[in-house]
């Protein structure tokens, strides 16, 4: 079974770009909300293993970890045919 997880922060423009891209392609995913300011979730050892730069968003598509919003959108567009093309 194909599983996608997205780690992000609600006020992050980059996180929202990744969420919109997944939505445009009609892709189901699990959203893991990180609390940056109040809890510093992005600074945890567990998250640093996923994204050494401690930034959001980070997407996991099966076992592939993609720690950059533009790369996430490119991956979604090239890997999933359904929905609107994100890039010309």
């Amino acid at each position: 079974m194909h599983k996608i997880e997205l780690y992000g922060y609600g006020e992050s423009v980059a996180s929202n770009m990744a969420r919109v891209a997944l939505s445009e392609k009609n892709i189901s995913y699990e959203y893991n909300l990180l609390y940056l300011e109040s809890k510093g979730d992005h600074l945890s050892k567990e998250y640093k293993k996923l994204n050494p730069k401690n930034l959001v968003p980070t997407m996991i598509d099966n076992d592939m970890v993609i720690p950059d919003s533009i790369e996430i959108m490119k991956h979604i567009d090239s890997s999933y045919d359904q929905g609107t093309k994100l890039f010309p």
Side-chain angles (χ1 to χ4, degrees), residues 3 11 59 61 68 70 75 79:
K3 181 180 179 184
E11 294 180 27
M59 186 177 86
D61 188 351
D68 177 81
I70 300 298
H75 171 77
S79 299

Side-chain angles (χ1 to χ4, degrees), residues 34-44:
L34 299 176
Y35 295 93
L36 306 186
E37 292 149 351
S38 62
K39 296 183 182 179
D41 291 342
H42 64 301
L43 302 174
S44 71

